[in-house]
Amino acid sequence: MLKKVVFVLSLFCTISGFSQYDIDSLKTVLNKTANKKDRLSTLGDLAIQLAKNGNDEQEIYFKKYLALAKDLEEYDLIASNSRFLIQYYIDNVQLDTAKKLCDSLLKFKPFFTKESSEAHLLLKRAGVYFNDENYEDAIEDYNGAQELFMQSGDSIFAADAYYYCGQAHANKNDFLNAVTNFNKAVGMYEVLGDNQYAMIVSSEMTDLYSRNGFVEKSLEERKRLLQRAKQANNAMAQAQIIGQNFLDYYKIGDYDSMKANIDDFLIVVADIDNNPAAKEYFKSFAILHKLYLACAKKNIATANKLMDSVLQISENKEISTYMESDILGAKAVYYELMEDEEKLVPVLEALMAFKNTNRLSTQIKARAKLANIYTKKGQYVKAIELKDYNTKLIDSVNSAQKENRFLYYQSQFEAERKQIELLEQDAEIQQLQIETTRRNNLIVVIILISIITIIIIAFFYLRNRQKIKEQAYQNILLNNKVATKTEEINELLTETIQHIKSKERIAENLQKLSNEKEGITLKSIIADLKANKADNTKLLLIKQNIEQVNFEFIKKLKELHPELSKTDIEICSLARIGLSRKEIANLRNTSIDAVKMSRIRIKKKLNLAEEQGLDDYINAL
């Protein structure tokens, strides 16, 4: 697969570059060093540089390093640096040796002081299981490594564990868990600033989408990735992404888009200067898929020229498994176009024998074509076996894809990107600091709001208190005014009563004058009448004062009982200031009985019960 080969090529160019001079210098230093700890340090540097240079001598020096480290009881160093030797055995397909070394070193677990020591060994043992196609055990060890790396704060290795675990789930066709692990790996790589690895994993995830029927989504997602790669001026990543694109366009039969992408691919590859191996691989990859395209369009002349180049590429003995698979596929479509069954059959048989290239669709097509050839030749048993196998495989693939699509939509993975929960320790600490700052800021805001609220409450409280004081003062003035008015009314009432008695006296004098009694003259009666005129003026003043004192009362009484007459209101006002029936009668120059009848009439208008007193009701208002 393109992305995996690109990853290996980019890794090779990253770690290579240590000269033989450096290695020879370290050997010289080692020979002159007697101190065990110093020898251990030099041995470690030498073995690691030999590993990065791809030198087989690394096995010898790593074994010496592990033996000396064990003698010095440096168990954490054993676990950390042994991973290079384990990887050496994996690369050389010595899986049993690699697993035995992992298991033996894991026995030192009680002596480890770092969680990462066990994690490195689990990560490498998972790699052994992965290469042995034992994905269940690989996933278990990857999960264990993830947890331990997170505890130790080795975030970059934790991200690697998520990435490799995603690949194991993908090879198991466990789509949902593969996407989950890939997403976590991408998130952590981005947080750590490793955009190269983030794009590699994201690109591999688009291939996973494509294999599970989400071809359109894969193409759409790669647009975003390609934009990022362009912004980062990363030609390697651009080539990887565009290469995956024209594979999908070939799959869906969009040959025009495939050709356009191949052209873009070659332009990008021309800009790769720092990685000759990758550049050469990409050129070969483009030639193979140009042949695919020419055969699909039945352009025989172009196909013949490209086939010559493909044959030259196939002569390279150091080509990868993935490249070999692509070469066989290109040869197959060419020989089929040329109807050369003699050459086509061995190619198809070889293509079916490949495993773990994630090219099931290519293998299914090869098997179907071979079955048709066997049928033409009369080899019906072989043909039926191949067709039956294909039928079961196709049913299994289709069923898995349907289930994966269902799980995908059920989990809402169709969104642009599911928000990634960052699990590495550094990010958690940073997030905790942010949250702490936010909480502190929130507390400050709450305190400020509380202070402002208290100030506002205090302001309104003081203002209301001042209003209450002012109102109380106004009430005192009003009460004093009412008291003064009341005293004036009482004085006027006293004087009025005296004047009423004066009227009675005038009447008596007039009676005596009519009877021609002695001592009563007309002059004296006229003097009394003049005094009575003053009495009328004072009586009017009394009524005005009563109306002022009872202003609010009279207003409320009129609102509640608009049917009351002016006389009714006047009687109620006089009763409110405490005058008796007799005093009201004298003041109004009427009889007590007339006042009583008026009170009865008023009670009816007020709808008062018989036992309810008029004075009580008036005073209650």
Side-chain angles (χ1 to χ4, degrees):
M1 187 177 299
L2 174 63
K3 60 189 171 302
K4 291 188 177 179
V5 176
V6 172
F7 168 67
V8 171
L9 290 171
S10 61
L11 179 63
F12 171 78
C13 291
T14 301
I15 63 176
S16 63
F18 294 100
S19 66
Q20 185 64 39
Y21 173 79
D22 295 324
I23 293 173
D24 292 339
S25 297
L26 285 170
K27 287 181 179 179
T28 301
V29 172
L30 180 64
N31 291 332
K32 294 180 179 180
T33 303
N35 182 277
K36 287 187 176 182
K37 287 190 175 182
D38 292 338
R39 281 183 64 81
L40 182 67
S41 177
T42 305
L43 267 172
D45 292 340
L46 175 59
I48 290 171
Q49 290 216 22
L50 286 167
K52 290 180 177 180
N53 234 32
N55 192 315
D56 289 338
E57 282 188 292
Q58 62 179 288
E59 182 181 9
I60 298 171
Y61 286 99
F62 269 123
K63 286 183 175 180
K64 291 180 179 180
Y65 176 85
L66 295 179
L68 182 56
K70 183 179 178 182
D71 183 40
L72 294 172
E73 297 183 349
E74 293 287 353
Y75 299 107
D76 290 307
L77 290 177
I78 291 173
S80 177
N81 289 325
S82 63
R83 67 183 191 273
F84 295 98
L85 181 57
I86 297 168
Q87 188 62 48
Y88 171 79
Y89 290 138
I90 293 174
D91 293 341
N92 286 276
V93 201
Q94 300 179 41
L95 300 182
D96 288 339
T97 303
K99 185 178 181 302
K100 286 179 182 178
L101 180 56
C102 289
D103 290 340
S104 65
L105 296 179
L106 280 169
K107 292 178 182 178
F108 295 135
K109 178 180 175 180
F111 305 108
F112 295 151
T113 61
K114 301 176 181 177
E115 293 90 347
S116 59
S117 296
E118 181 185 358
H120 281 302
L121 294 174
L122 289 177
L123 188 63
K124 285 305 173 187
R125 190 171 68 179
V128 175
Y129 287 135
F130 184 93
N131 281 272
D132 201 29
E133 300 181 31
N134 183 356
Y135 300 121
E136 290 290 345
D137 287 340
I139 290 168
E140 184 178 351
D141 275 357
Y142 282 136
N143 287 335
Q146 291 166 11
E147 184 177 351
L148 291 169
F149 280 132
M150 292 299 293
Q151 291 175 10
S152 66
D154 292 299
S155 305
I156 190 66
F157 289 110
D160 291 343
Y162 280 115
Y163 174 30
Y164 303 145
C165 190
Q167 289 182 327
H169 280 295
N171 284 2
K172 266 189 65 188
N173 205 25
D174 184 355
F175 174 74
L176 203 58
N177 281 318
V179 171
T180 299
N181 278 272
F182 282 149
N183 270 325
K184 288 180 178 177
V186 170
M188 294 181 72
Y189 283 135
E190 288 179 344
V191 168
L192 295 165
D194 195 338
N195 294 321
Q196 173 74 13
Y197 267 79
M199 283 190 284
I200 287 172
V201 182
S202 296
S203 177
E204 186 158 349
M205 191 155 47
T206 65
D207 184 67
L208 181 63
Y209 286 141
S210 178
R211 295 204 314 270
N212 283 275
F214 298 102
V215 178
E216 294 298 329
K217 176 175 176 56
S218 300
L219 293 169
E220 186 63 30
E221 184 70 8
R222 288 192 199 111
K223 288 181 182 179
R224 182 185 66 82
L225 290 174
L226 188 58
Q227 187 63 33
R228 287 182 58 189
K230 288 179 179 178
Q231 290 174 352
N233 198 26
N234 189 330
M236 285 283 292
Q238 291 180 57
Q240 178 180 346
I241 295 164
I242 297 172
Q244 286 181 316
N245 269 347
F246 59 69
L247 288 174
D248 276 348
Y249 285 127
Y250 180 76
K251 184 187 297 184
I252 63 178
D254 187 353
Y255 301 126
D256 291 338
S257 296
M258 180 181 180
K259 182 181 182 306
N261 271 260
I262 291 175
D263 292 341
D264 292 342
F265 180 81
L266 291 171
I267 292 172
V268 171
V269 170
D271 292 334
I272 299 175
D273 296 324
N274 60 342
N275 196 330
K279 191 170 186 176
E280 191 62 32
Y281 171 83
F282 283 136
K283 287 180 179 179
S284 299
F285 187 79
I287 290 170
L288 292 174
H289 287 84
K290 278 186 175 182
L291 179 57
Y292 275 102
L293 182 60
C295 292
K297 291 188 172 184
K298 301 186 183 305
N299 190 334
I300 295 176
T302 302
N304 287 333
K305 293 180 181 179
L306 291 168
M307 188 60 183
D308 291 337
S309 299
V310 170
L311 292 174
Q312 290 179 6
I313 295 170
S314 63
E315 292 175 0
N316 184 356
K317 295 181 180 180
E318 296 182 358
I319 59 175
S320 68
T321 302
Y322 299 106
M323 177 63 77
E324 187 178 354
S325 173
D326 285 332
I327 290 171
L328 288 172
K331 285 182 177 179
V333 296
Y334 174 76
Y335 291 137
E336 184 180 11
L337 176 66
M338 304 304 293
E339 298 180 356
D340 188 346
E341 290 186 357
E342 185 178 351
K343 292 182 179 179
L344 178 59
V345 169
V347 170
L348 294 175
E349 289 176 343
L351 192 58
M352 289 190 307
F354 273 93
K355 296 180 180 180
N356 295 329
T357 62
N358 293 311
R359 300 288 175 83
L360 283 178
S361 60
T362 303
Q363 294 169 11
I364 289 171
K365 288 178 183 178
R367 197 174 288 109
K369 291 174 183 178
L370 193 57
N372 290 334
I373 293 172
Y374 286 151
T375 300
K376 289 179 183 178
K377 291 182 177 182
Q379 298 176 352
Y380 300 112
V381 175
K382 287 184 177 182
I384 291 171
E385 286 178 353
L386 290 175
K387 288 181 178 180
D388 287 345
Y389 186 88
N390 249 9
T391 300
K392 292 178 182 179
L393 184 59
I394 291 170
D395 289 343
S396 175
V397 170
N398 289 340
S399 176
Q401 287 184 356
K402 287 179 181 179
E403 182 181 0
N404 288 338
R405 283 195 293 270
F406 171 75
L407 292 173
Y408 175 84
Y409 287 119
Q410 187 182 45
S411 302
Q412 297 181 341
F413 275 106
E414 69 273 18
E416 180 70 19
R417 283 282 303 264
K418 184 182 178 181
Q419 186 177 3
I420 301 166
E421 182 182 359
L422 301 178
L423 300 177
E424 52 88 18
Q425 192 177 40
D426 295 339
E428 287 181 349
I429 293 172
Q430 185 178 7
Q431 186 64 30
L432 181 60
Q433 291 173 342
I434 293 171
E435 292 298 328
T436 302
T437 303
R438 287 177 180 172
R439 285 196 295 270
N440 291 339
N441 291 339
L442 181 60
I443 290 171
V444 171
V445 171
I446 291 172
I447 292 172
L448 289 174
I449 292 173
S450 300
I451 292 172
I452 293 170
T453 303
I454 291 170
I455 291 172
I456 292 172
I457 291 172
F459 171 76
F460 282 107
Y461 171 77
L462 293 174
R463 192 174 73 172
N464 290 337
R465 186 175 179 184
Q466 183 64 29
K467 284 185 177 180
I468 291 170
K469 286 182 178 181
E470 292 175 359
Q471 187 64 44
Y473 178 70
Q474 292 296 329
N475 289 340
I476 291 172
L477 292 178
L478 182 61
N479 289 336
N480 290 338
K481 186 175 181 180
V482 170
T484 302
K485 288 287 184 182
T486 303
E487 290 177 3
E488 291 176 358
I489 291 170
N490 289 335
E491 290 176 2
L492 289 171
L493 285 173
T494 301
E495 293 177 4
T496 301
I497 291 169
Q498 291 175 354
H499 291 308
I500 290 171
K501 289 180 181 180
S502 175
K503 286 182 180 181
E504 292 175 354
R505 188 171 62 253
I506 291 170
E508 290 175 359
N509 288 337
L510 286 172
Q511 183 66 39
K512 289 178 181 181
L513 181 62
S514 64
N515 294 332
E516 296 181 352
K517 291 183 180 182
E518 297 180 359
I520 301 302
T521 65
L522 186 58
K523 185 177 181 179
S524 63
I525 292 173
I526 292 172
D528 287 337
L529 288 174
K530 288 183 178 179
N532 186 52
K533 184 179 180 181
D535 293 341
N536 290 336
T537 302
K538 289 183 179 180
L539 184 60
L540 180 60
L541 183 59
I542 289 171
K543 288 182 178 181
Q544 290 175 348
N545 279 309
I546 289 172
E547 287 179 359
Q548 289 180 9
V549 171
N550 286 333
F551 176 78
E552 293 295 335
F553 166 75
I554 292 171
K555 181 180 177 182
K556 189 171 185 181
L557 189 63
K558 286 180 178 180
E559 290 175 355
L560 295 175
H561 305 286
E563 68 277 8
L564 293 178
S565 67
K566 185 177 181 181
T567 301
D568 294 336
I569 292 172
E570 185 177 336
I571 290 172
C572 289
S573 298
L574 294 172
R576 181 174 173 78
I577 65 173
L579 298 184
S580 65
R581 291 174 179 80
K582 183 178 180 180
E583 288 171 335
I584 294 172
N586 289 334
L587 187 61
R588 298 193 75 255
N589 197 21
T590 187
S591 66
I592 294 176
D593 290 336
V595 173
K596 287 182 179 180
M597 290 302 295
S598 295
R599 287 173 62 87
I600 292 170
R601 185 178 64 256
I602 292 170
K603 282 187 65 173
K604 289 181 179 180
K605 288 184 179 181
L606 297 179
N607 293 322
L608 299 180
E610 185 177 349
E611 66 276 6
Q612 190 173 0
L614 178 60
D615 292 342
D616 293 336
Y617 178 76
I618 289 171
N619 291 327
L621 290 178

